[in-house]
Amino acid sequence: MLYSQLCETYEELEKNPSRLKKTSILSDFLTKLKNSNQAEIIYLIQGRVFPDYSEKEFGISEKLAIKALSKASGISDKLIIEKWKKLGDIGQVAEETMKNKKQGILFSHPLTVKKVLDNLKKLPELEGKGTIEKKLSLISELLTSATSKESKYLVRTLLQDLRVGVAEGVLRESIVDACFNKEKLEKEEIKKIIDGVQEAYDKSTDWKLVFEQACKGLSYLEKTSLEPGKPVKVMLFLKEDTIEKGFERVGRPCLIDFKYDGFRVMINKDEKGSIKIFTRRLDNVTAQFPDIVEFAKKYVKAKTFILDAEAVGFDPKTKIYQPFQAVSQRIKRKYHIEKLVKELPIEISVFDIIYYNGKSFLKEPYKERRKIIEKIITTSSYKIKASEAIITDNIKDAENFYKKAIAAGEEGIMMKNLEAPYKPGARVGYGIKIKPEENELDLVIIKAEYGTGKRVGWLTSYTLACRDKNKFLEIGKVSTGLKEKTELGLSFKELTKKLKPLIIKESGREVEVKPKLVVTIVYQNIQSSPTYNSGYALRFPRITRLRLDRSTSDITTLNEVEKEFERLKR
């Protein structure tokens, strides 16, 4: 297939904000792919060239993309940067630049999808001396052959910022429409197929595999299995205000366990005995946590498993549990690991298991999964244990357990339906969380402003956004909660360091940044506001945490903001 054909689809998707229209456009495109042996193109539709579980990255910065554009077009870096500052979208810059390219195209050929995939797949493999030049060569080769429109989407793909609005739901429904004749099916059959597509993805985190299986039929989708060593999306939990409402949602009796103030890890052991650890963002952090690997090998008695757990930090001297922020730096650290293991030790609390001794337990009731956890884990203080839990139908017992969790320094409690299966990536009400009455949201930073006076040189005021499907909507600004000195906690200096590489546009003191950095915000109230495009504003917001373990798909949605607004009005 010519890359131009894919770019035409990109353009149609970008022009049409309607979910129904996007689904129609994409299902028509996928129908043409069904018998073409080119299922890999589905990765490019996501702006990727590898499955979602893959950690491989192109390693291309805006600076390198600009160099490649300059090399392919013959236009100076300086002129390209000026255009970028005006337009704010480097994809648009690429489109305009390549319209006016000065380099000859005598040796260029029409660009194929295969050529794009081949070149892009090579980028993560390059390392060592001369890497930058080799990457430039691979990118420039594509840009030299590309039309202006193709250049736009090539550069956006390289920077993982495709902007065509294909979310997971659109892709799922497009696969269903392309692979099954819905007109001849009953509603119940269609629902079963949609669930089958979603379950196949939940087990594999690979849309290419799902598309190939769907093309063969529902029975093939149902054969998709979990595979230890490949990351799986964690099941997400809803919030409730009271224990009574919690019982109403999850049923009586239920299991109640501590909501730990740590970060989520999925611990995998495969047939060869290899241990791998993934975060809720599907990042492989095995190298950063050799202590978890040791605990899993020594204290978990099973041939294979996938455990859902929380890693909680503690002070090595006092043994007092530490808040998430204290150990969050271990997630991204690549050097001096042994030193950090001693300085920032962690304890693992296991609360679920979805694969055990060669069998998927996604559909097994939670009470059975819990029995396995208690059977296979040998408790070792400050190393690994099953989450502290009770099973009850009594509000008084639940309230006492909640008080115990708070007294222990934990965030609150989780209430879980004993009969429920495990639904990766879904907030389906099988479990809920209850925390003290503190208004809290996870939001993403989309803009920032440079400070003045003592804070000059730092980004010190941040515009926050919630998520509405594929859009980020502003909900206020925050400048409190951070420290001026790094040793006192999360600082302006630290956040500035993380935001600067994400800057995509500058205007005076204000910068626009890629929506990547998630923060937890505590606030007093939510009010209606015409100032922000969400329609809401936070009163007295304060940053309490930097959430390196969370992605933009995890942040608070506009629908959740609206519910909080109504709740706080009562």
Side-chain angles (χ1 to χ4, degrees), residues 455 460-462 464 477-483 490 492 495 519-523 539-545:
R455 297 178 182 179
T460 58
S461 177
Y462 316 100
L464 305 165
K477 289 187 176 185
V478 63
S479 56
T480 57
L482 301 183
K483 310 294 182 184
L490 181 61
F492 291 112
L495 207 52
V519 288
T520 297
I521 301 294
V522 170
Y523 59 95
R539 279 176 55 80
F540 305 115
R542 175 168 53 89
I543 294 177
T544 58
R545 291 180 181 180

Side-chain angles (χ1 to χ4, degrees), residues 339-388:
K339 184 184 176 192
L340 279 176
V341 168
K342 291 177 183 175
E343 292 177 353
L344 300 166
I346 53 170
E347 179 181 63
I348 300 300
S349 292
V350 180
F351 53 81
D352 216 329
I353 183 167
I354 59 173
Y355 190 91
Y356 170 59
N357 284 355
K359 181 187 171 186
S360 167
F361 274 71
L362 288 175
K363 293 189 177 179
E364 296 295 319
Y366 181 58
K367 63 185 178 185
E368 299 303 323
R369 304 199 305 272
R370 178 73 193 192
K371 284 178 188 174
I372 293 169
I373 291 169
E374 292 171 355
K375 172 184 163 186
I376 67 174
I377 290 176
T378 304
T379 299
S380 181
S381 295
Y382 298 104
K383 291 181 180 176
I384 192 169
K385 64 182 181 183
S387 62
E388 188 157 352

Side-chain angles (χ1 to χ4, degrees), residues 13 19 22-23 26 45-46 164-174 198 207 233 467-471 553:
L13 289 166
R19 177 177 170 139
K22 283 184 190 292
T23 303
L26 193 50
I45 289 165
Q46 297 175 267
V164 297
V166 175
E168 188 176 290
V170 171
L171 197 48
R172 180 188 63 230
E173 287 158 32
S174 300
Q198 185 62 51
W207 284 114
K233 289 191 175 182
R467 180 171 54 83
D468 183 26
K469 296 174 183 172
N470 303 313
K471 295 182 292 186
S553 61

Side-chain angles (χ1 to χ4, degrees), residues 37 115 168 225 242 268 304 342 423 454 464 527 549 553 560 568:
N37 295 317
K115 179 61 179 172
E168 188 176 290
S225 61
T242 66
N268 291 239
T304 57
K342 291 177 183 175
K423 294 286 282 184
K454 284 196 298 181
L464 305 165
Q527 59 191 23
D549 60 326
S553 61
E560 289 168 332
L568 292 168

Side-chain angles (χ1 to χ4, degrees), residues 358-486:
K359 181 187 171 186
S360 167
F361 274 71
L362 288 175
K363 293 189 177 179
E364 296 295 319
Y366 181 58
K367 63 185 178 185
E368 299 303 323
R369 304 199 305 272
R370 178 73 193 192
K371 284 178 188 174
I372 293 169
I373 291 169
E374 292 171 355
K375 172 184 163 186
I376 67 174
I377 290 176
T378 304
T379 299
S380 181
S381 295
Y382 298 104
K383 291 181 180 176
I384 192 169
K385 64 182 181 183
S387 62
E388 188 157 352
I390 60 168
I391 293 175
T392 185
D393 61 0
N394 184 282
I395 286 184
K396 191 74 177 172
D397 289 345
E399 286 174 345
N400 288 337
F401 189 76
Y402 175 70
K403 289 173 186 173
K404 183 180 177 181
I406 299 301
E410 304 304 348
E411 285 194 314
I413 56 172
M414 311 295 294
M415 300 178 73
K416 299 170 183 177
N417 183 322
L418 289 168
E419 304 300 327
Y422 190 103
K423 294 286 282 184
R427 286 186 174 94
V428 285
Y430 294 156
I432 59 97
K433 52 192 174 186
I434 295 177
K435 296 160 66 173
E437 275 296 323
E438 188 173 60
N439 302 320
E440 188 178 273
L441 301 174
D442 283 341
L443 302 167
V444 67
I445 297 172
I446 58 171
K447 292 178 185 175
E449 283 182 22
Y450 281 103
T452 56
K454 284 196 298 181
R455 297 178 182 179
V456 70
W458 295 334
L459 293 165
T460 58
S461 177
Y462 316 100
T463 301
L464 305 165
C466 61
R467 180 171 54 83
D468 183 26
K469 296 174 183 172
N470 303 313
K471 295 182 292 186
F472 296 104
L473 303 179
E474 294 179 3
I475 193 171
K477 289 187 176 185
V478 63
S479 56
T480 57
L482 301 183
K483 310 294 182 184
E484 290 184 358
K485 293 184 178 179
T486 305

Side-chain angles (χ1 to χ4, degrees), residues 210-224:
V210 173
F211 179 54
E212 288 173 333
Q213 300 289 66
C215 287
K216 295 174 187 174
L218 181 59
S219 62
Y220 283 86
L221 283 169
E222 291 170 345
K223 289 176 185 175
T224 310

